Amino acid sequence: MPYPSIFSPETSQQLFDRIDALHPHSPALWGKMNVAQMLAHVCVPYEQIKGENTQQPPWFMKLILKIFLKKILTNEVPYQKNSPTAPAFLKVDVHDFEWEKSRLKNYIIAIEKMGAEQLCLQASLSLGMLNETEWNNMLYKHLDHHLKQFGV
């Protein structure tokens, strides 16, 4: 089943409603992150798209990602609970809940406004060039997975 379009204002609003249902003490249903760390974690792909985070995996890991994991990361099959996290995505420090929540919502708006055509002109730091469906699935699926992790 296709994921909702991240380029649609309706999808952005649905995501905002879910994000706004979180609070600083929302408990995780699985995993090690608290809710503020999770919000910081889901901002990483957006930071990479916007050029604010340019930490690339080592060349051999990039090759493994492209060959073996690209399909898993960009298909329409939801992530499994407690899947491993890439080092660039680990968030173990203390993060401000409201700041991370605001940042995430701003990134969602920025990608919606960027649109598929412009987003597809740039490469993912880990996976290379992606088409509209791959970008959409990767971004929506990751965010959806972690919002479900916190029950929203």
Side-chain angles (χ1 to χ4, degrees):
M1 181 169 146
Y3 287 111
S5 174
I6 60 170
F7 308 106
S8 156
E10 294 80 19
T11 300
S12 295
Q13 187 57 57
Q14 290 169 358
L15 290 169
F16 293 164
D17 292 346
R18 292 171 70 189
I19 293 164
D20 288 339
L22 296 168
H23 57 82
H25 302 290
S26 292
L29 303 176
W30 71 83
K32 299 176 184 174
M33 292 184 284
N34 65 39
V35 67
Q37 290 168 332
M38 177 275 288
L39 291 170
H41 167 83
V42 296
C43 283
V44 172
Y46 300 99
E47 293 168 352
Q48 292 175 337
I49 291 166
K50 301 292 280 175
E52 298 165 6
N53 178 338
T54 58
Q55 182 181 353
Q56 295 189 23
W59 70 268
F60 59 89
M61 182 55 78
K62 201 175 203 177
L63 185 63
I64 290 169
L65 285 166
K66 282 183 182 179
I67 294 172
F68 298 108
L69 295 178
K70 181 177 179 177
K71 184 176 179 180
I72 292 168
L73 296 172
T74 62
N75 67 21
E76 294 173 358
V77 178
Y79 294 134
Q80 294 191 11
K81 297 174 185 176
N82 295 310
S83 298
T85 301
F89 285 70
L90 290 174
K91 298 295 178 184
V92 295
D93 296 333
V94 174
H95 293 271
D96 180 89
F97 172 81
E98 293 298 335
W99 169 254
E100 297 298 345
K101 181 175 151 181
S102 174
R103 230 167 47 98
L104 177 57
K105 290 169 83 173
N106 286 332
Y107 283 135
I108 291 168
I109 291 169
I111 296 304
E112 174 196 319
K113 289 182 178 179
M114 178 185 282
E117 190 172 315
Q118 187 177 350
L119 182 57
C120 291
L121 293 176
Q122 71 183 74
S124 159
L125 291 181
S126 302
L127 303 176
M129 297 306 288
L130 300 175
N131 64 37
E132 179 179 350
T133 300
E134 291 169 330
W135 272 116
N136 187 76
N137 289 353
M138 184 175 68
L139 291 171
Y140 187 89
K141 175 163 74 166
H142 185 237
L143 184 52
D144 181 63
H145 171 78
H146 286 292
L147 292 174
K148 287 179 180 174
Q149 178 186 11
F150 284 85
V152 298

